[in-house]
Amino acid sequence: MKKQFAVIGLGRFGGSICESLSKQGMEVLAIDTNEDKVNKFATIATHAVVADSTDETTLRSLGIRNFDHVIVAIGDNIQSSILTTLMLVEQGVKHITVKAQNDYHEKVLNKIGAHKVVHPERDMGIRIAHNIVSKNVLDYLELSDEYSIVELMAGEAVHGRTLIELDIRAKYGCNIMAIKRGDEINVSPVADESIIRGDILIVIGADSDINRMEQVLFDDD
């Protein structure tokens, strides 16, 4: 069966999630207090309704507890975000993801029972910053305060060398999870796999180790 999602708040973040889930064939209920926004997503989501998510009776009438996952993407109204999350927790929603505006907002959301809290603007800022600082970093995903996954573009310094020659795990404490070459992706590459200039290496490790490895192996300037 298709999973059922509800997206509360149809701003840029919520709208993007709603559209992406719909494209993946999921059943999506789009909710906002703004009628214009709801009308915009009426042809994108499975259902789109004008509703106040801070009203307990309204949420019950929508059958919100029956959804597999509810995303609270309310914009700048932190009070509405917190109240909505609290209502969802009290009604027993299985999975609740909430967009936080700041660290204080996140602390409150975690205390009242949100299952996952995201900072889309902050996270995107971190990814862009890494991309700006290094021409070799194509993408960046923070796993924790210390560990990340990065996509690194292979240059001349590693061209023609095998993974066993580079010995990245022993020298830098990082692991190459996969190698992208054109449209193909090699997951868990073998030790004698040769790297070609232009390959994209997907690397996991501590930030300090990744930075050290990048400076030694990927700085062609």
Side-chain angles (χ1 to χ4, degrees):
M1 291 178 63
K2 291 180 181 178
K3 283 191 173 182
Q4 293 184 314
F5 294 84
V7 180
I8 302 174
L10 300 175
R12 187 178 301 172
F13 177 65
S16 177
I17 289 179
C18 183
E19 193 166 352
S20 180
L21 289 171
S22 297
K23 284 180 178 177
Q24 293 178 62
M26 302 297 159
E27 291 190 13
V28 183
L29 170 64
I31 303 169
D32 201 287
T33 54
N34 186 306
E35 188 174 356
D36 290 337
K37 289 181 180 179
V38 170
N39 289 337
K40 178 182 176 182
F41 285 90
T43 56
I44 297 172
T46 313
H47 303 285
V49 297
V50 178
D52 179 3
S53 60
T54 64
D55 184 87
E56 184 178 0
T57 305
T58 298
L59 289 179
R60 289 192 187 280
S61 68
L62 293 171
I64 204 75
R65 66 173 298 174
N66 298 319
F67 284 80
D68 297 297
H69 199 141
V70 178
I71 299 95
V72 181
I74 294 171
D76 297 329
N77 193 330
I78 291 178
Q79 181 175 319
S80 291
S81 169
I82 292 170
L83 285 174
T84 297
T85 303
L86 186 59
M87 298 287 183
L88 296 173
V89 171
E90 289 180 344
Q91 293 193 28
V93 174
K94 294 185 280 289
H95 296 287
I96 306 166
T97 295
V98 190
K99 172 188 174 182
Q101 297 297 323
N102 51 50
D103 291 340
Y104 174 74
H105 188 193
E106 179 181 11
K107 285 181 182 179
V108 175
L109 292 169
N110 284 325
K111 281 186 179 294
I112 63 177
H115 301 121
K116 184 179 178 70
V117 180
V118 296
H119 292 260
E121 289 88 357
R122 182 195 68 184
D123 295 345
M124 182 55 71
I126 291 171
R127 293 172 74 178
I128 291 172
H130 277 78
N131 185 266
I132 291 170
V133 167
S134 173
K135 65 181 181 359
N136 299 303
V137 176
L138 302 179
D139 204 355
Y140 172 91
L141 176 63
E142 185 181 43
L143 298 177
S144 70
D145 290 340
E146 297 180 0
Y147 289 87
S148 306
I149 296 174
V150 298
E151 289 188 353
L152 291 169
M153 174 77 77
E156 198 60 42
V158 295
H159 176 74
R161 301 174 69 181
T162 65
L163 295 180
I164 197 167
E165 284 179 71
L166 295 171
D167 205 11
I168 286 173
R169 182 185 294 180
K171 291 180 179 176
Y172 305 101
C174 302
N175 286 294
I176 295 180
M177 301 166 59
I179 300 174
K180 283 201 250 182
R181 184 173 297 158
D183 295 330
E184 297 183 357
I185 182 163
N186 180 0
V187 179
S188 298
V190 294
D192 60 358
E193 179 73 33
S194 292
I195 296 171
I196 299 173
R197 185 184 180 99
D199 283 350
I200 298 170
L201 309 184
I202 301 173
V203 181
I204 185 171
D207 293 337
S208 56
D209 292 334
I210 292 173
N211 290 337
R212 189 163 52 91
M213 178 191 70
E214 185 195 347
Q215 289 171 14
V216 175
L217 294 178
F218 293 86
D219 189 356
D220 288 338
D221 293 337

